[in-house]
Amino acid sequence: MWLRGCHQMFPDGSTTTVDVQLIQGDSVQLKVSEWDDLPGTVLAERSLLRCCCRRKRRPEVQELKLADLLGAVLDRETAQLRFVHCPKKRKSGPRVREDVLLRITGGPEALKEVEAWARDVSGQCHAASPTPRKFHVFINPASGNGQAEAKWQVARELFRSLPWISCQEVLTTRAREARDVAAELSCNSCDGIVVVSGDGMVHEVFNGLASRQDAHDALRIPVGHIPGGSGNAFAKSILHAAGESYGVLDAAFLIAKGRTQPLDLMAVSQPRQPPRTSFLSLSGAIVADIDLGSESLRFLGGLRFPVYTVYCLLNPRPLCAEIYWPATASTSPLDLSSSPPALDQPLPEGPWVTLTDNFSVLWAINMAWAAYDVHLSPGHAMGSGTWHLALLRNAGRGTLTKFMLGLETGSHVNLDQTEILECKAFRLVPARSASNASSSRERFSLDGEEVPFEPIQLWPCPGGQVLGAPSGEELGGVMASL
Ligand SMILES: Nc1ncnc2c1ncn2[C@@H]1O[C@H](COP(=O)(O)OP(=O)(O)OP(=O)(O)O)[C@@H](O)[C@H]1O
C-alpha cells in the first residue's frame, strides 16, 4: 500500500515530498514523489525502510532498519508521523536518537489509512504488535555520582514517544524503599520494573519480589536496568550479550524493544540472618575488600575501585575457607529443586566436591560481567542454570596483580592459576584469622552489599525475568561465539 501526501521534515525546517510503502513482512520504502526517471528501487534483503530524496545534499537512499526502529507513531492532531529511530553510527558503537518525521496531508481518511499503516510498521519492529505496557521505574538520586535523574530523562524521552509505554516513577528517598515497594506492587498492574541506579537497587527489587507470598508470580515481572550506579554489572551483562554498547540510550532502547530473558536467582542462607535472594555475585578476599572498603571513596564515582585496588594489591589478605558444591555426576540423587538444607545441618547426600585452601580471589558470579569494566566470566549467559566460581589460590602479589589487570578484558582467564568452575549451588565456610588486624577486612560482598563473615549457602530458587534481551538472531550469534 502506498501512502501519498507525506513530507519528510528535516531539522533545518525544510521538507521533501515522499511516497511511502510498506512491503509486507520485509521492508518499508520512502520514495521522493515525481521522481520520474527512477528505474524502480532495489531493496537490499535486510533493508526495512528506504528513503530516496531528490535533494543533492541529502543522502539519496536512507535506510532505517527494523532493528533500529521502535515504531511508527501518528500524532493525529499535528498530522505528523514519527519513526522512533535509534541507529548505531558505527557497527559496535552507541545508539543515537535520529527520529524521522513525516507531515501527512489529506483529510481524516488519509490519517486513518496512515494510522493502520503505522501500526503495521510498529508491529514489525517488535516480536508482535506492541500492547500497552506499564513500567514501574525506580530512580536513585544517591547512586553512582548522583546523575541518575539526568540519565532517566534520556530514557523517559524515548519511552514518551511510544504511546504504548507508560511509566510510574518513584524517586527513592531512602535505602530499601525499592525493596518495600516491590514487595507490595500489584502484579497485574505492572508489566516491568526499570531500575535507574546501580546493582544495589536491582538487588533490592529482586529481594522485594522474592519476599512476597506470591513470589512465583511476582518474579515473572521482568526487571530492566538503566546504568545509574557505579558498577552496573546487570546493565552491562544484558547490553553486551545483546550486542549493544554500554550506555543509557542503549539500555532504554533494549527495554523498549520489549524482549525478555530468564535469570537464575539464588536463595541465600546465613546463621541468624533473614533469607535473602542473590541475582549477581558473592565475593570474598581482595574483591570484597575492594567493593566494600572503597565505599568511603564513593565521591570518586567509578574511580573509587581502581584507587582502592592499588591499596589492596599492596596489602593482600587471602581468605581461608572451605567450599562445597554438588558434583555434576548424572547419577547424583541430589535434588536441587527441594528447599535448601539448614546451614547447621550436614549437606544432603551428594556427591559434593570440597575445596579447602587460602583463596586470594573467591568470586561467584551469575553472568558475564561483575561490573561494567570487569569481564569476570566471558561468555557466561544469564539463565544458563549455573553460577561460575572464579578462584585464585595462594597467589603472590605478581599473579594477583596480573589477575586484577586482566579483568577488564577477561584475559585473567588465560592465567594458569585462574580456575573457573561451574556450580548450581554452593556452601562456603570461612575460617576467621587469629589476627585482629585482618578481621576488619574479613568480608563477604553479596551483589555488592556487605553480609556477615559467616558460613553462607547459595541454593537455586524460582528464577526471575530480565527486561531486555538479544533478538533471536543475535542470541544465535552469541551462542555460536561461545
Ligand atoms: N534517596 C536515597 N538516599 C540514600 N540512599 C538511597 C536512596 N535511594 C536508594 N538508596 C540506597 O543507595 C544504595 C546504593 O545504590 P546502588 O547500589 O543502586 O548504587 P551504586 O552503589 O552507586 O552502584 P553499584 O551497586 O552498581 O556499585 C542502595 O543500597 C539503595 O538502597
Side-chain angles (χ1 to χ4, degrees):
M1 179 185 76
W2 283 99
L3 292 179
R4 305 230 166 241
C6 302
H7 309 277
Q8 183 170 5
M9 297 161 68
F10 298 99
D12 62 5
S14 63
T15 59
T16 298
T17 305
V18 290
D19 289 340
V20 189
Q21 185 186 27
L22 168 65
I23 298 177
Q24 283 297 330
D26 193 22
S27 58
V28 178
Q29 205 178 28
L30 266 74
K31 194 166 79 170
V32 175
S33 303
E34 300 149 8
W35 191 323
D36 294 329
D37 55 359
L38 191 75
T41 309
V42 180
L43 291 174
E45 212 185 20
R46 298 198 51 219
S47 136
L48 296 159
L49 185 69
R50 290 201 156 221
C51 167
C52 312
C53 299
R54 188 168 38 180
R55 291 159 183 252
K56 284 275 182 310
R57 61 198 174 91
R58 314 276 188 214
E60 288 208 344
V61 175
Q62 184 188 355
E63 183 175 303
L64 309 185
K65 292 180 185 162
L66 251 200
D68 298 332
L69 278 171
L70 290 172
V73 179
L74 177 69
D75 180 339
R76 276 177 156 273
E77 268 180 32
T78 56
Q80 279 183 14
L81 179 65
R82 175 184 292 272
F83 294 97
V84 184
H85 180 225
C86 301
K88 297 178 186 176
K89 291 294 183 191
R90 285 174 288 113
K91 194 166 183 267
S92 56
R95 291 194 179 274
V96 291
R97 182 92 189 261
E98 272 187 5
D99 287 7
V100 174
L101 275 179
L102 301 183
R103 190 188 311 129
I104 311 293
T105 51
E109 274 308 304
L111 289 180
K112 204 168 145 196
E113 197 183 346
V114 171
E115 198 163 38
W117 182 91
R119 207 175 306 123
D120 210 355
V121 173
S122 296
Q124 293 195 40
C125 297
H126 302 263
S129 284
T131 47
R133 273 182 273 154
K134 191 166 174 191
F135 293 156
H136 214 95
V137 185
F138 294 107
I139 307 130
N140 177 1
S143 62
N145 51 6
Q147 298 295 312
E149 279 179 272
K151 289 172 179 173
W152 167 237
Q153 298 309 321
V154 175
R156 179 162 65 176
E157 213 178 289
L158 185 71
F159 294 160
R160 275 197 176 155
S161 331
L162 303 166
W164 50 87
I165 294 183
S166 63
C167 295
Q168 183 163 347
E169 299 167 27
V170 178
L171 190 66
T172 56
T173 55
R174 59 174 174 87
R176 286 177 64 91
E177 188 174 343
R179 185 195 187 286
D180 295 346
V181 176
E184 299 292 332
L185 266 184
S186 155
C187 291
N188 297 332
S189 67
C190 178
D191 303 298
I193 296 175
V194 177
V195 174
V196 191
S197 183
D199 298 309
M201 195 176 262
V202 179
H203 172 88
E204 286 189 2
V205 166
F206 279 121
N207 275 270
L209 297 176
S211 69
R212 300 160 59 122
Q213 294 289 340
D214 63 348
H216 200 269
D217 292 332
L219 284 167
R220 290 207 188 115
I221 301 175
V223 179
H225 188 195
I226 292 179
S230 353
N232 304 316
F234 191 43
K236 174 70 185 191
S237 298
I238 299 166
L239 288 165
H240 182 82
E244 299 288 345
S245 283
Y246 170 70
V248 171
L249 182 65
D250 309 85
F253 177 86
L254 207 56
I255 288 169
K257 273 282 180 186
R259 291 185 293 264
T260 61
Q261 59 180 317
L263 174 72
D264 300 318
L265 296 175
M266 291 278 212
V268 182
S269 338
Q270 284 201 286
R272 300 171 299 282
Q273 294 296 316
R276 295 179 80 138
T277 301
S278 172
F279 80 101
L280 177 59
S281 63
L282 174 75
S283 62
I286 188 170
V287 179
D289 228 359
I290 294 167
D291 203 8
L292 303 169
S294 64
E295 279 291 324
S296 53
L297 304 182
R298 184 168 269 279
F299 63 92
L300 292 178
L303 261 187
R304 78 187 215 224
F305 297 113
V307 170
Y308 204 77
T309 301
V310 173
Y311 169 75
C312 291
L313 281 171
L314 294 172
N315 307 277
R317 290 275 187 280
L319 163 70
C320 179
E322 284 181 343
I323 320 172
Y324 309 85
W325 70 94
T328 46
S330 56
T331 52
S332 168
L334 185 62
D335 178 11
L336 291 169
S337 64
S338 58
S339 325
L343 259 177
D344 55 1
Q345 296 296 313
L347 288 160
E349 195 182 338
W352 291 83
V353 182
T354 309
L355 203 56
T356 308
D357 220 323
N358 288 312
F359 298 96
S360 307
V361 173
L362 191 155
W363 207 342
I365 180 90
N366 188 27
M367 52 195 73
W369 294 79
Y372 75 95
D373 54 354
V374 178
H375 203 177
L376 180 62
S377 187
H380 186 182
M382 286 183 187
S384 63
T386 57
W387 278 43
H388 288 180
L389 270 178
L391 304 176
L392 193 63
R393 298 194 242 172
N394 299 299
R397 278 202 190 99
T399 307
L400 192 52
T401 303
K402 278 191 209 152
F403 181 96
M404 299 305 287
L405 287 176
L407 282 170
E408 188 163 355
T409 59
S411 63
H412 63 288
V413 298
N414 301 326
L415 288 176
D416 290 344
Q417 299 90 333
T418 302
E419 296 166 78
I420 306 272
L421 308 166
E422 285 189 8
C423 60
K424 291 183 183 296
F426 61 92
R427 183 181 280 188
L428 175 62
V429 182
R432 274 206 180 274
S433 104
S435 125
N436 275 345
S438 34
S439 61
S440 66
R441 293 178 57 190
E442 287 178 337
R443 298 166 150 141
F444 284 143
S445 170
L446 182 78
D447 297 357
E449 308 294 311
E450 182 155 15
V451 294
F453 191 74
E454 297 274 354
I456 186 164
Q457 177 177 273
L458 273 73
W459 201 264
C461 62
Q465 289 290 318
V466 180
L467 192 50
S471 68
E473 195 179 299
E474 282 144 3
L475 192 61
V478 171
M479 301 307 266
S481 70
L482 292 182

